[in-house]
Amino acid sequence: MSPTFANVEDARRIARRRLPTIFFDYIDGGSSAETTLRANTGDFSRLRLHQRVLAGLEPRDLSSQFLGQRHPLPFMLGPVGFLGLFAGGGEILAARAAHAAGIPSCLSNFSIASLDDVRRAGCAGPLHFQLYVLKDRGLAEAFLAAAEHAGVETLHLTVDTAVTGIRERDARNGFRAATRIGPRMGLGFALRPAWALDMLRAGKPGVGAVRGRTEFGANILAQAGTLSRLIDPALSWADVDWLRERWTGRLTIKGILHPQDARLAKRAGVDAIVVSNHGGRQLDGAPSTIGALPGIVEAGEGLEVLLDGGVRRGTDIVKALALGASGVLLGRAYAWGIAAGGEAGAARVIALLKEEIHVTLALMGLSSIDALKRLGRDALVPADDPAFAPR
Ligand SMILES: Cc1cc2nc3c(=O)[nH]c(=O)nc-3n(C[C@H](O)[C@H](O)[C@H](O)COP(=O)(O)O)c2cc1C
């Protein structure tokens, strides 16, 4: 597969052609009226960057400090469940593409590949793991042990899924309710022969983190359903303390969207937070992440803040960094890359965003990501400036 797309939206279009509708919609969709999903991208596009000229500089340095390390790029691949259903071995392909670019990739608790699979496939680069704390704390401890064994550096505790948002596209496609492949789903698969062949080659999928645990069910649909039902809806800050005692690596909380929660996270002693609304897949009507970011950075006072949600362009990443994020996590952008072209597709998404950031910095008269971060909000046209685009 050699994808020749020019931007992330192109990758999305190719993914739509390659994937059965049920999986394309699962990636693409948000919750309920998809208001927050649209706000994530819409609010990025409302921000305006300052164009500066004759600065006598060349942007050379896209490296960025986040999560305790300097990375060659200011973004990483965030956790996306079921990547291995979008292309055979999807998680491994994503990790390879990320590591080739020198950036971390994060395995979701709902990945097809296990952490060990990724390591055994020779992916030696920085690996993160996203954890859902289950009602059965013994299982959560088993996930932590697997993460430690695989040399995971950073654990992201996702906290915005007390219950699963209402995903109407998934309901229409029968995604959630299914426990086996029925005729309609089978027909959808048959209509995408290249994808179906890839899946057949990859072998029977399952949720890697619960492999061998028969109580989760015999197939991926049953395993995913059981795992979802076991996520503890009553998680509290006391559980963050519980986790902090057991996990000695770096810990972030993913899913912070309110300044007061940022203050509480700081008090809980986590290393960083990820401003996230789960890509508009949870609380519909919640603010966009880029809109919430400035208030959270201010409330967190020195707490490291990352962001995800709606990132489709290098300019989006530049805007998030200007507003105080130390780094950015990609979600759909690279999932579409995987679906569109496997490892080469994800690598292409990373390369395109890198190029876009490079061009953006050059046209802003900035020589590096560090210079952008130093400039901060002054890199953006303020909303009360007449040059700011009215709604
Ligand atoms: C198909 C899909 C599956 C996801 N699965 C997970 C998951 O298992 N765990 C998690 O913490 N976040 C998950 N997310 C949320 C992403 O980590 C991230 O917050 C979101 O995708 C960012 O928004 P964006 O896709 O608009 O960039 C998922 C998102 C998508 C699109």
Side-chain angles (χ1 to χ4, degrees):
M1 283 189 276
S2 57
T4 51
F5 46 82
N7 60 34
V8 168
E9 181 57 29
D10 281 358
R12 174 177 177 269
R13 271 192 290 269
I14 298 173
R16 173 172 246 157
R17 287 203 301 269
R18 277 190 62 86
L19 286 176
T21 305
I22 192 168
F23 293 136
F24 177 78
D25 274 351
Y26 169 67
I27 303 174
D28 201 54
S31 54
S32 299
E34 301 190 337
T35 318
T36 298
L37 174 73
R38 285 190 297 277
N40 276 349
T41 48
D43 287 357
F44 266 122
S45 64
R46 266 195 282 280
L47 296 173
R48 294 289 176 267
L49 298 165
H50 277 304
Q51 171 175 309
R52 298 297 309 275
V53 298
L54 302 173
L57 297 166
E58 248 198 290
R60 295 208 175 276
D61 187 7
L62 300 194
S63 74
S64 179
Q65 184 76 19
F66 63 90
L67 295 173
Q69 281 174 38
R70 185 151 280 273
H71 298 93
L73 296 169
F75 59 89
M76 59 168 278
L77 306 189
V80 169
F82 306 116
L83 270 184
L85 293 181
F86 314 149
E91 291 87 5
I92 291 165
L93 305 179
R96 284 199 184 124
H99 297 167
I103 58 174
S105 71
C106 180
L107 216 64
S108 152
N109 217 158
F110 280 84
S111 290
I112 307 301
S114 69
L115 286 160
D116 271 355
D117 294 337
V118 176
R119 287 305 192 204
R120 266 200 301 272
C123 305
L127 196 57
H128 296 188
F129 184 66
Q130 172 269 319
L131 179 78
Y132 287 117
V133 172
L134 306 185
K135 291 172 201 159
D136 176 353
R137 295 293 190 271
L139 272 172
E141 285 184 337
F143 296 155
L144 291 179
E148 210 176 309
H149 180 253
V152 163
E153 300 170 350
T154 300
L155 187 77
H156 300 273
L157 171 68
T158 298
V159 295
D160 55 7
T161 49
V163 294
T164 305
I166 298 167
R167 317 246 174 101
E168 295 176 8
R169 298 200 215 183
D170 290 349
R172 256 181 237 118
N173 292 327
F175 186 70
R176 291 276 151 181
T179 51
R180 59 179 191 84
I181 301 173
R184 191 172 150 221
M185 208 188 277
L187 179 67
F189 291 179
L191 290 170
R192 295 290 187 270
W195 170 88
L197 197 65
D198 183 27
M199 283 301 117
L200 283 175
R201 271 198 219 108
K204 189 180 174 194
V207 176
V210 301
R211 191 177 298 151
R213 294 180 185 274
T214 48
E215 69 273 23
F216 278 81
N219 63 42
I220 185 165
L221 295 167
Q223 289 167 348
T226 311
L227 195 55
S228 298
R229 279 192 297 280
L230 287 180
I231 294 174
D232 191 346
L235 212 65
S236 73
W237 289 102
D239 298 297
V240 176
D241 296 340
W242 174 87
L243 188 58
R244 189 66 290 188
E245 280 165 23
R246 276 157 188 82
W247 177 255
T248 50
R250 198 165 288 276
L251 176 66
T252 87
I253 298 187
K254 174 175 178 286
I256 299 286
L257 210 56
H258 193 287
Q260 183 58 12
D261 284 337
R263 285 185 202 103
L264 293 171
K266 188 177 172 188
R267 200 181 302 161
V270 296
D271 296 294
I273 56 173
V274 182
V275 171
S276 179
N277 50 34
H278 220 93
R281 299 160 76 82
Q282 285 297 107
L283 177 62
D284 192 38
S288 68
T289 50
I290 194 66
L293 180 66
I296 289 175
V297 168
E298 201 182 317
E301 278 185 280
L303 174 65
E304 181 173 358
V305 178
L306 294 98
L307 170 139
D308 73 17
V311 174
R312 308 286 181 264
R313 289 279 181 189
T315 45
D316 299 336
I317 295 170
V318 166
K319 288 167 182 176
L321 301 179
L323 288 178
S326 63
V328 162
L329 280 68
L330 303 183
R332 293 179 182 84
Y334 87 91
W336 289 323
I338 287 286
E343 180 182 343
R348 176 107 183 111
V349 165
I350 294 169
L352 285 169
L353 292 175
K354 177 181 176 181
E355 174 68 7
E356 288 179 10
I357 294 171
H358 185 92
V359 168
T360 303
L361 290 187
L363 296 176
M364 293 175 73
L366 293 169
S367 62
S368 66
I369 293 291
D370 285 345
L372 168 71
K373 285 182 175 177
R374 277 194 300 275
L375 192 58
R377 282 181 193 214
D378 290 342
L380 300 174
V381 180
D384 57 2
D385 188 304
F388 187 86
R391 284 191 180 205

